[in-house]
Amino acid sequence: MADGYLEKHQQDYEARKAQWLRRQKHRPRPTRRPSSSASSPTITRPDDEAL
């Protein structure tokens, strides 16, 4: 009895997963934003960091 129960739920899970994957295939891909480091000025460190 337990094996049939587990197999049924495994089949339900596989069906839901396949449906979810089909929906994901049709979603638009997110666009890349420019990295924040490219727009912000770079910080220059002194050659001698000893205080």
Side-chain angles (χ1 to χ4, degrees):
M1 181 177 137
D3 290 334
Y5 177 82
L6 293 175
E7 289 173 1
K8 169 93 170 86
H9 283 279
Q10 178 71 21
Q11 291 170 353
D12 291 344
Y13 166 77
E14 293 294 338
R16 287 193 315 270
K17 181 179 174 183
Q19 184 181 13
W20 183 82
L21 287 173
R22 279 193 302 271
R23 283 195 306 245
Q24 294 301 314
K25 190 183 294 185
H26 298 291
R27 291 181 64 191
R29 289 188 176 172
T31 58
R32 284 191 161 202
R33 293 183 291 158
S35 63
S36 61
S37 64
S39 62
S40 65
T42 58
I43 299 173
T44 56
R45 294 181 180 238
D47 295 332
D48 184 17
E49 293 186 10
L51 296 177

